[in-house]
Structures are given as C-alpha cells and as structure tokens.
Amino acid sequence: MSEWSTQHQQPQPAVPVLEEQRLGEILGAVPERGQWRYRPRRVGMVWRSKAFRAGAVISVLALCGLLILSLVREQTGTEGFLVGLGLAVLPVPLLMAAFRWLDRVEPGPWRSLLFSFAWGACAAALVAITANTFAARWIATATADPSSADTLGATVIAPVVEESAKAAAVLLIFLFRRREFSGIVDGIVVAGFTATGFAFTENILYLGNAFGEDQQLGSAGLGSVTAGTFFVRVVMSPFAHPLFTVLTGIGFGIAALSARRHRARRIAVPLLGLALAMGMHALWNGSSTFGRYGFFAVYGAFMVPAFALVTWLAIWSRQRELRTLAAELPAYAAAGWLSPAEPSALSSMRARGMARDVARHWNSGAGRAGGRAAARSVAEYESFATSLAVLRRRARRGAVGPDFAVREQELLHHLWERREVAGPALTYAAGRLGSRPSAPLPAPHQWYGGYNPYLNRAAPPAGFPYQQPPYQQRAYQQPPYHSHPHHPHPYDSPRRQVR
C-alpha cells in the first residue's frame, strides 16, 4: 500500500486553531524557560540528576580513553604513536563535516555527536582490542595454529565484536535521546560519528605498527609499509568503518519511523542492520584470503557499489525531510501560526540560508551582536519548525507517545517567540526564490516599534506599540506580552503525566 493511502486512512492529529482564547491556553501552559523539557523532570535521586549522569558518562569515556591510549602506546611505542596519531587524524574532519552536512535539515545537538565519536574512539575501541586479543590467543591455544587463529579472528571474531561495540552507542542514543532520533538521517549521522571515532583509534594502531616495522627494516618513502598502510586505510577506504556501522544506524532509523504498535519490526530491523554490518565487515576483512587480487575485487565489486547505494539513501532521506516540511507545515500556516510563504521557504535549504543572511543584515544597525542574535533566532526557528513537522509526520504513523500535545505546544511556543524576526526573513527569502517578486523588508524599528529584543531581553515597557509585522494580516488581535495568566506546569497535571 502506498504511503499516501496509508496516511489518508489513519486519523490525522488535530490542527491547532489559533484563536485568542486558544492562544492563551497554549502559550500559558508552556513551562518557564528554565524548565523547557520534552520529558518530566525527575528529582529525588542522585543518579537521576542531569549533572551527575553527564559527569558519569564523561568519567567513563575518559577512563576508557586513558586505557586505550596506554594499550596503543604500548604496542606502537611513543614515536610510532605520534606518527600514527598525526596521520590518522587527517580524514576525521572530512568525515565529520560530511555527516554534519547531512544533518543540516534538523541538526542534532553536538553533545550527542561528540558522545558518539568519543564512544567509538574510546569505549568501543577498548572493547574491540581487548576482546580481539583474548579471542586470538584462545583460538591459537585451542588449535595450535597461530596463522589460522589470526585469519579466523579477523573474519569472524572482529566483525562481531567491533560492530556490536559500535552499535551500543547508536542504541544508547536511540533509548535515552529519543527526541533527537527521529529517522534514517539521524541513525546514519550517529552511526557515522561513532564509526569515525573507532576508525581514528584503529588507524593510530595500524599506522603506528607500520612505522615501527619500517624502523626495524630501515625502509622509507613511498615504498615503506607506513605509506602503503596510509594509502589503503586513509586514502582508499576512509569510509569503510562508517559504511559498516551506518547499516546499523539505518536499522534504528527505520525503527524510529515505525509505529509503536509494530514492536516486532522495531526490534527486528535494527538486528537485521547489525547483521548486515557484521557480514560486510567480515567480507572486507576476509578479502585478503581470496587470492592476490581478492582485495581489489571486493573493493570494486562490492564496497564501492554499497557505498554509492548508502550515499544515495542518505541524500534521499535528507530530501525527504524537506518534503515533510512542505507537506506538514501548511496545516499550521492555515491555522495562523505561520505565514503562507513560510512552509515553502522552510523546505528549501537555500531559502533557509538566505533568511539567516537577511536577518543578520537587517539587524546589523543594532551592532554585530544584534545581527548574530537575529541570525541565530532564525536558525532556531527553522530547527523548531523542522522538529514540529517531523513530530506531526510521526503522529500520523502512530509513532508518538501520549505526550504529543505537550511537545507540540512547546514547539509552537518556541516558534511564536521568534516569529517577529524569522517570519519576515523567511517570507522575503521565499519571494526571492519563488516566481513572485518579493516585497522589500521593513526596517527593524518598524517591526518592533523601536524595541529591539536582541539588545534588551526584558519585557517591553508599558504602552509599548506592539506593531503587527507586515506579513501577518490575521483576523485575531495579537496579544501583548504578559497578557496570559500563569498556568501550572503541564507535567504537574496528572492528566499530562508521561508514564
């Protein structure tokens, strides 16, 4: 059955009606700025404290980093470690930039990406080097054949251990940062950062050992073992480990898109992705046993097409997120939350960038800080609008929990707070890139009646002329600041508790 027919058979979430009374209920029910959460805040136990959990995670990863640093330095020596570190770091910025570009539509927080990279470089690498060494020694003792033990360890043990260790980071983000994991793109990005960190540590080990071997043999230049290792691991196949683990990330991304009632699919698809990652990893490691040209055969006939297919899927998923914005946001524009031109602007990366530049330019009269703050406000507006569209799409598929209304209210509140600068900029960008000519932007003092919220965060003074922006011609009266009575925190109400 097509996606269109499935969506139209399922009940759609109600579109919020933007009336003065309804507006007061929605904006007044949102928690204070310091308490903006998608989940209720649990207190009373030390290990539930956000600071304690962050400190524990950082401490564990730092300890793993020190241990893996000691193990790698012991195997390569100090000089080999430094050479390996200098060469292994070269592909890291390029890979991270590629995955971050893919995540530009709905960018995830850097803390999750840095956690994924640190997990791959420290925790997963420590588990892999310990387990692989132990397994190789046990197989060599049991079979009395060290050469077959190395081959069996590389083709069977290493893929299972390494892919499982890297998949643990994707699983942790999927379970404990569920709001930041909404689809295939998020799975690819998290898995890519994790595998990039793992490959970074592994490359230090391989390049450091190769340098030590060259020191013993007295070889140097392009014919050295170090140059050959660098060419194979950094130039020819920097995407190898990311490609393996991305298959696991795709499985978790499909699980995130699945309805909550499809529990078997949500479990089976990530396991299938992990199995495919292990199989591809085993084929790559075992390519050297297929004969003299086995490595090149696997590389050309399997790795390159697989990489091209995954790259196409990643870009297609990114474009699909933009199409989701164009499909879901018009409902909120019809209700009055957005201007009619904003959905088309938000579904274009070019229009988004132009809107940020326009906001920075039109607020440059307030100083450099005012221009940066305006551009940042537009970027936040774009991010919240994307989250709102993705949330609504998941609601159509039955993939959201009972806190859907609370999360929708919070996102609408974030948009409402930034609408005065983001709305005109996006409307202007849509006009410039569309078929109709765009109207000139008003000056900042015409938007706010002389009040600049980026230089003064306090509420406007009494009698502040709250002028309607030119793009908002609505039937209701726009409420002034502080016109709504205080409502209880939505999580304090028993009806809104998220179980």
Side-chain angles (χ1 to χ4, degrees):
M1 183 181 295
S2 65
E3 180 180 353
W4 184 90
S5 61
T6 303
Q7 290 181 355
H8 283 264
Q9 287 179 3
Q10 296 177 352
Q12 300 180 359
V15 177
V17 180
L18 192 58
E19 301 172 355
E20 185 172 358
Q21 180 179 1
R22 177 60 175 163
L23 179 65
E25 294 177 358
I26 292 179
L27 298 184
V30 176
E32 298 295 332
R33 182 181 297 272
Q35 298 178 345
W36 281 340
R37 299 287 188 275
Y38 281 165
R39 292 181 180 273
R41 197 173 189 177
R42 300 178 178 179
V43 296
M45 296 185 180
V46 175
W47 55 84
R48 289 180 176 175
S49 169
K50 184 178 180 179
F52 177 83
R53 287 180 292 177
V57 170
I58 294 173
S59 300
V60 170
L61 291 177
L63 179 60
C64 292
L66 292 175
L67 291 176
I68 193 64
L69 174 66
S70 176
L71 289 174
V72 172
R73 181 179 175 275
E74 181 181 354
Q75 294 191 25
T76 62
T78 302
E79 191 174 358
F81 172 79
L82 294 177
V83 172
L85 177 63
L87 295 176
V89 77
L90 295 179
V92 172
L94 299 177
L95 292 172
M96 294 177 70
F99 287 114
R100 192 59 178 173
W101 172 86
L102 187 65
D103 200 34
R104 281 183 60 197
V105 177
E106 189 183 10
W110 272 107
R111 64 177 182 272
S112 297
L113 302 181
L114 292 178
F115 163 79
S116 301
F117 181 85
W119 180 278
C122 301
L126 179 62
V127 170
I129 193 172
T130 304
N132 290 340
T133 302
F134 173 80
R137 291 177 179 175
W138 180 80
I139 295 174
T141 303
T143 61
D145 187 358
S147 61
S148 64
D150 292 339
T151 303
L152 184 61
T155 57
V156 178
I157 305 299
V160 174
V161 172
E162 294 176 7
E163 295 306 321
S164 299
K166 289 183 289 182
V170 187
L171 176 62
L172 290 174
I173 297 293
F174 181 82
L175 294 178
F176 297 104
R177 287 291 182 265
R178 191 64 183 85
R179 302 292 181 261
E180 304 165 5
F181 205 119
S182 58
I184 295 177
V185 172
D186 295 322
I188 293 175
V189 172
V190 171
F193 267 77
T194 305
T196 300
F198 184 89
F200 168 66
T201 302
E202 190 178 66
N203 285 339
I204 296 176
L205 179 62
Y206 277 89
L207 291 168
N209 286 333
F211 179 79
E213 186 175 347
D214 286 333
Q215 291 292 95
Q216 294 178 358
L217 299 176
S219 57
L222 296 178
S224 63
V225 180
T226 304
T229 305
F230 178 83
F231 179 76
V232 171
R233 299 190 63 86
V234 177
V235 178
M236 286 188 63
S237 58
F239 57 86
H241 273 288
L243 178 60
F244 306 148
T245 313
V246 156
L247 297 177
T248 304
I250 292 173
F252 278 99
I254 296 175
L257 293 173
S258 302
R260 297 172 68 89
R261 63 180 182 274
H262 298 154
R263 183 170 299 180
R265 181 192 303 174
R266 291 163 62 89
I267 296 175
V269 175
L271 292 178
L272 177 61
L274 178 60
L276 291 175
M278 293 177 180
M280 183 178 293
H281 196 160
L283 179 63
W284 174 252
N285 285 359
S287 61
S288 59
T289 63
F290 297 157
R292 183 177 180 180
Y293 299 103
F295 169 81
F296 297 100
V298 171
Y299 183 85
F302 189 79
M303 294 293 291
V304 173
F307 176 75
L309 180 61
V310 170
T311 301
W312 171 84
L313 177 62
I315 296 176
W316 178 86
S317 300
R318 185 179 187 265
Q319 293 300 119
R320 188 170 180 268
E321 288 187 345
L322 294 174
R323 291 193 296 269
T324 298
L325 288 164
E328 302 294 347
L329 291 183
Y332 294 96
W337 289 100
L338 308 174
S339 69
E342 285 183 52
S344 61
L346 289 167
S347 61
S348 168
M349 297 303 296
R350 185 181 175 189
R352 286 184 171 204
M354 181 181 294
R356 294 192 295 269
D357 294 338
V358 165
R360 184 183 297 107
H361 170 72
W362 280 90
N363 286 269
S364 60
R368 183 177 298 179
R372 286 199 303 263
R376 183 171 60 252
S377 180
V378 175
E380 292 171 350
Y381 188 93
E382 294 167 353
S383 177
F384 287 126
T386 304
S387 298
L388 182 64
V390 172
L391 177 67
R392 186 172 177 85
R393 181 191 67 184
R394 297 182 65 235
R396 291 179 183 275
R397 298 184 172 188
V400 296
D403 61 340
F404 166 77
V406 174
R407 294 169 59 193
E408 185 184 44
Q409 288 176 5
E410 290 189 18
L411 290 170
L412 289 172
H413 180 76
H414 290 315
L415 294 178
W416 189 261
E417 280 199 333
R418 296 159 176 83
R419 72 197 184 281
E420 302 240 8
V421 62
L426 286 166
T427 303
Y428 177 81
R432 287 292 301 272
L433 299 179
S435 56
R436 295 179 301 174
S438 60
L441 274 179
H445 71 275
Q446 293 177 328
W447 296 357
Y448 312 114
Y451 173 73
N452 193 328
Y454 300 103
L455 300 181
N456 182 7
R457 292 287 183 178
F464 163 71
Y466 202 104
Q467 182 176 345
Q468 189 84 333
Y471 77 95
Q472 291 178 327
Q473 302 296 333
R474 311 190 196 281
Y476 63 88
Q477 179 67 32
Q478 186 170 347
Y481 284 95
H482 303 300
S483 63
H484 306 297
H486 175 69
H487 288 258
H489 192 291
Y491 297 130
D492 295 337
S493 174
R495 294 177 300 173
R496 296 187 182 273
Q497 288 288 343
V498 181
R499 303 297 181 185

